């Protein structure tokens, strides 16, 4: 669990491909430069077999091939991103762009190209003596080994990269990781809100429009201690913020302009939602994939059925009775509503798959599984979603036998309605 906005921003940068590319390029430059300084450790009798011409030929081949391989690999990666956006959802492409294998392979190829290019320039400039040529030759051999290993790994990776199954696996892992992190700290280390926030506190509005991506609880706590006040967090990661919506409420003190700026900076707002602190976003992305699969243009109910199973697995880690150590007692945090989780994941499938018996049967069984796994948290939301799905099947063209089959396995029964009304 990341507790600092600075560390979170660093992590966001480390996930980008340019970090690995620059690192490999810097290593390539360092290797070329250090070859001359290491030449003093090479015995002169070892240099008889390696000359400038031999090294130049190998470096020329490496430079020409790596430029082509890098360009080709980059085009493959871009095609995989486009395929994931069209077959799954554009929200899933961010996970593919953060794929470490793809980033390492592209960085290796580009690093090898820069190494060979700089080596050729240094050779033509007469930078190396005879022992230095041997060091450069050994370094070139090591680079070739890395390139071959990267090629083999890249070929294996391309067998699944960007496919619908691979995309689903990535989204499920991201959603599951976010849910488990939230279960470790259900209120992100703050106090759970047990009553509606008071309206007599100083409310701070957002100064930009977008989605809350990250909340720096440590910064909020430090500011609350400085003010000797209590801070009510009014938004959670994933909430849509704008200039007229309060995001914080300060009770017990009045912050100055500098403190208000610090409090606003503790809440990161961006154009898109993030998986890190937002468990609902992963469920929404899974539901989007299922909805696209159920569209008439795609007509792939199997993917929707697969998504239902993944939703059950992800939500099974949720605990309504989870407890956590209060690290920031002066910060009060609202809870995530379990019914929102169920609606995020299952409502689009219930709506778009209403006319497909197999999808509706799997949906009802998935809701029943959630209800049985954690009745204290999912019982009422699962029953309500089951009832909604049954209402949807009455609006589509299904025969009585098909409706009967679905109702037979439904999570919601007529007896549930009787118990709720007391009739």
């Amino acid at each position: 669990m990341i507790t600092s906005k600075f560390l979170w921003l660093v992590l966001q940068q480390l996930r980008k491909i340019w970090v690995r590319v620059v690192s490999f390029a810097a290593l390539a430059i360092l290797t070329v430069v250090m070859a001359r300084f290491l030449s003093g450790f090479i015995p002169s009798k070892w240099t008889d077999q390696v000359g400038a011409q031999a090294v130049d030929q190998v470096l020329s081949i490496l430079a020409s091939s790596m430029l082509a391989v890098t360009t080709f690999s980059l085009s493959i990666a871009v095609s995989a991103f486009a395929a994931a956006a069209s077959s799954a959802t554009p929200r899933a492409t961010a996970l593919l762009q953060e794929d470490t294998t793809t980033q390492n392979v592209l960085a290796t190829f580009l690093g090898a190209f820069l190494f060979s290019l700089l080596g050729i320039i240094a050779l033509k400039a007469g930078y190396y003596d005879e022992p230095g040529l041997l060091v450069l030759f050994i370094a070139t051999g090591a680079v070739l080994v890395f390139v071959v290993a990267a090629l083999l790994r890249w070929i294996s990776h391309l067998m699944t990269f960007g496919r619908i199954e691979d995309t689903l696996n990535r989204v499920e892992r991201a959603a599951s990781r976010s849910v488990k992190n939230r279960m470790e700290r259900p209120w992100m280390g703050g106090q759970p809100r047990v009553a509606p926030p008071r309206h007599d506190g100083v409310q701070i509005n957002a100064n930009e429009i977008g989605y809350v991506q990250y909340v720096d609880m440590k910064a909020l706590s430090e500011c609350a201690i400085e003010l000797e006040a209590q801070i009510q967090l009014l938004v959670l990661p994933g909430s849509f913020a704008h200039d007229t919506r309060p995001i914080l409420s300060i009770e017990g003190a009045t912050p100055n302009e500098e403190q208000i700026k610090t409090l606003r900076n503790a809440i990161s707002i961006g154009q898109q939602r993030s998986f890190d602190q937002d468990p609902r976003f992963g469920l929404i992305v899974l539901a989007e994939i299922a909805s696209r699969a159920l569209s008439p243009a795609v007509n792939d109910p199997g993917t929707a059925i697969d998504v239902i199973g993944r939703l059950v697995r992800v939500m099974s880690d949720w605990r309504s009775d989870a407890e956590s150590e209060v690290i920031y007692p002066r910060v009060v945090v609202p809870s995530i509503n379990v019914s929102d989780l169920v609606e995020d994941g299952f409502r689009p499938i219930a709506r778009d798959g209403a006319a497909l018996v197999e999808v509706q049967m799997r949906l009802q069984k998935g809701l029943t599984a959630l209800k049985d796994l954690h009745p204290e948290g999912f019982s009422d939301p699962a029953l309500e979603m089951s009832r909604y799905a049954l209402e949807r099947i009455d609006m589509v063209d299904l025969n009585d036998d098909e409706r009967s089959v679905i109702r037979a396995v439904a999570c919601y029964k007529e007896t549930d309605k009787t118990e709720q009304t007391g009739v």
Side-chain angles (χ1 to χ4, degrees), residues 37-170:
F37 295 98
L38 293 175
S39 62
F41 299 95
I42 303 297
S44 58
K45 62 180 180 179
W46 291 7
T47 63
D48 297 337
Q49 302 299 321
V50 179
Q53 185 176 2
V55 180
D56 186 32
Q57 290 178 350
V58 176
L59 289 175
S60 298
I61 295 173
L62 188 62
S64 59
S65 59
M66 283 302 98
L67 181 59
V69 170
T70 302
T71 304
F72 180 67
S73 298
L74 186 59
S75 66
I76 292 177
V78 172
S79 298
F81 300 153
S86 60
S87 63
T89 171
R91 259 63 61 190
T93 55
L95 296 176
L96 270 72
Q97 291 169 356
E98 295 171 0
D99 178 60
T100 55
T101 299
T102 303
Q103 293 184 358
N104 288 336
V105 166
L106 291 175
T108 300
F109 293 159
L110 186 57
F113 170 72
L114 292 176
F115 168 83
S116 56
L117 187 63
L118 291 173
I120 293 173
I121 294 173
L123 279 175
K124 300 301 182 182
Y127 179 74
Y128 298 106
D129 54 12
E130 289 298 325
L133 290 175
L134 179 59
V135 175
L136 181 62
F137 187 81
I138 295 173
T140 304
V143 170
L144 285 172
V145 172
F146 278 111
V147 168
V148 171
L151 278 171
L152 294 175
R153 189 180 183 187
W154 186 227
I155 291 171
S156 176
H157 191 61
L158 288 179
M159 296 297 102
T160 59
F161 185 59
R163 306 297 188 270
I164 186 65
E165 186 73 18
D166 177 56
T167 305
L168 281 169
N169 288 337
R170 293 175 189 275

Side-chain angles (χ1 to χ4, degrees), residues 269-289:
I269 298 177
Q271 295 181 352
Q272 299 175 343
R273 297 175 72 165
S274 170
F275 290 95
D276 293 327
Q277 281 191 338
D278 186 4
R280 294 179 59 184
F281 185 50
L283 303 177
I284 291 172
V285 174
L286 283 171
E288 284 185 356
I289 297 175

